[in-house]
Amino acid sequence: MRNFLTISYIALAIILVCAAIAYVFGEHSSIEWLKDLSLNLGTEVTGIFLTVFLIDAAIRRNEAAERQRVKRVAFQQLRVSLIRHLHMLHGMYKAATTSLPESKPVAVADLFTDSYFAQLGFLDFAKPAPVASAVPQQWMDYLRTETENFKAALGRTLEKYAVFLDGETVELLEELLASSYLSLLSQITAIRDIDKKERWSRRYNLLAGQGMTEIARSHTAEFVKLIESHNLNVPSDRHIKLDDGYWRNDIAPPVGSGRIDGV
C-alpha cells in the first residue's frame, strides 16, 4: 500500500507536467491529444490518489490503535509483577525505619524521598523476611527470589511484546533488566555464603555502604517511570498506588522489624 501511494505521487507528478506542457503549447493542434490525455489521466490518477491516501490513513489509524491495545495488554500482564516489586521496595523501607511518615504517600513516586533512602542503610539483610513459609527466610533470600522473579517478568514482556511497544518503553524495560540495584540484591546470599566459608563476621546492613544510595535512587527512578507508564495505559481503576495496606502495621513487615540491632 505504501509503495502504491508512492507510485501514485509519481504518476500525479507526471500528469501535472503533461498538463503544463499542454497548457503552454495548447494552441498547436499537433499536441491537442496530449492535452486531452493529460486531463483524462489527471482525473483518473487524482481519484486513485485520494482513494489510496484515505485507505493509507485508515491503515495508519488501525495500526496505532492495535499498538495501543497490545501495549495495554502487555502492562496488564506485567501488573502483578509490578505490584510485587513495589511491595518489596516499600517493605524494605518499612522494616528498616522506626516510624512511618505522618503524611503517608499514595503516589508511588512520593515514596522515594531522602528519608526512604536514608532508612535503607539500617536494613539488616540477615533478619527474618516477611514471607509466609514453613521455612524461615532471611531478607537476603527473600530479595534474591523477588528480584529474580521481577527480572524474569520483564524479560518475558520484552520477548513477547517488544515489536509492539514504543522505543521508550522498550528502553525502560531493558534498563530495569540491567539494574545494578537488582543485581546487588540478588547476589547478597553469595556474600553470606562466602562469609560462612571463610568464617568472617559482618553486619549485613549492606545498603549503608558508599554509593549504595545512588544505585538505589537510579533503580527506583526507572521503576517509577514504568509505574507511571502502566497507569497511563490501563483504566483508572487499575492504577498502581500505595493504598492503606502498605502502611498498616498488622500487615508484614512490621515497622522496624528488619532494622539492624543497636541503632
Side-chain angles (χ1 to χ4, degrees):
M1 181 60 69
R2 302 270 163 71
N3 290 336
F4 189 58
L5 185 61
T6 301
I7 293 171
S8 297
Y9 277 118
I10 295 172
L12 183 59
I14 293 172
I15 296 303
L16 290 174
V17 170
C18 290
I21 294 173
Y23 176 80
V24 174
F25 301 101
E27 66 276 10
H28 300 287
S29 59
S30 60
I31 61 170
E32 189 66 29
W33 63 271
L34 181 58
K35 180 177 180 181
D36 294 338
L37 178 62
S38 64
L39 290 174
N40 291 333
L41 288 178
T43 301
E44 292 294 331
V45 173
T46 299
I48 294 172
F49 169 75
L50 289 175
T51 300
V52 172
F53 178 81
L54 292 173
I55 292 174
D56 186 71
I59 291 175
R60 289 177 183 272
R61 288 196 299 271
N62 290 339
E63 289 176 345
E66 179 63 11
R67 285 195 299 271
Q68 185 60 36
R69 185 191 71 80
V70 174
K71 188 175 182 179
R72 182 171 61 253
V73 170
F75 273 118
Q76 287 174 342
Q77 293 188 6
L78 191 58
R79 173 184 171 80
V80 172
S81 296
L82 292 175
I83 292 174
R84 286 184 65 93
H85 195 61
L86 177 58
H87 272 290
M88 185 197 84
L89 294 174
H90 180 273
M92 294 170 69
Y93 164 71
K94 190 178 176 187
T97 190
T98 54
S99 61
L100 298 178
E102 293 184 8
S103 179
K104 298 176 178 59
V106 174
V108 175
D110 296 335
L111 169 64
F112 303 112
T113 62
D114 290 341
S115 176
Y116 172 92
F117 296 107
Q119 294 303 315
L120 289 184
F122 297 106
L123 179 63
D124 185 349
F125 288 95
K127 287 287 185 73
V131 293
S133 173
V135 180
Q137 284 189 345
Q138 293 180 330
W139 265 95
M140 63 183 79
D141 297 299
Y142 163 70
L143 292 174
R144 182 190 63 187
T145 300
E146 288 297 313
T147 54
E148 289 178 351
N149 289 341
F150 183 57
K151 290 177 71 172
L154 295 175
R156 288 193 299 270
T157 300
L158 273 173
E159 181 179 357
K160 189 173 182 179
Y161 297 106
V163 296
F164 303 102
L165 298 174
D166 58 271
E168 182 178 354
T169 302
V170 170
E171 183 178 355
L172 187 56
L173 292 171
E174 290 176 339
E175 288 177 352
L176 281 168
L177 266 174
S179 167
S180 298
Y181 194 54
L182 294 184
S183 296
L184 170 68
L185 296 181
S186 65
Q187 292 172 11
I188 294 175
T189 54
I191 297 175
R192 177 192 60 193
D193 294 342
I194 292 173
D195 288 348
K196 286 183 177 180
K197 182 178 179 180
E198 301 296 335
R199 297 182 179 180
W200 293 335
S201 177
R202 76 170 79 207
R203 291 157 64 96
Y204 285 101
N205 59 327
L206 301 181
L207 294 181
Q210 186 175 6
M212 292 298 102
T213 294
E214 289 71 21
I215 293 175
R217 282 186 186 275
S218 177
H219 174 77
T220 54
E222 297 301 316
F223 180 65
V224 166
K225 290 179 184 177
L226 190 58
I227 291 290
E228 291 174 344
S229 185
H230 168 277
N231 290 349
L232 284 173
N233 286 280
V234 301
S236 59
D237 61 344
R238 303 289 290 170
H239 285 186
I240 296 175
K241 56 185 178 180
L242 296 165
D243 58 36
D244 184 61
Y246 284 86
W247 303 103
R248 287 170 48 185
N249 208 39
D250 59 339
I251 295 179
V255 174
S257 58
R259 193 175 178 88
I260 196 162
D261 294 332
V263 294

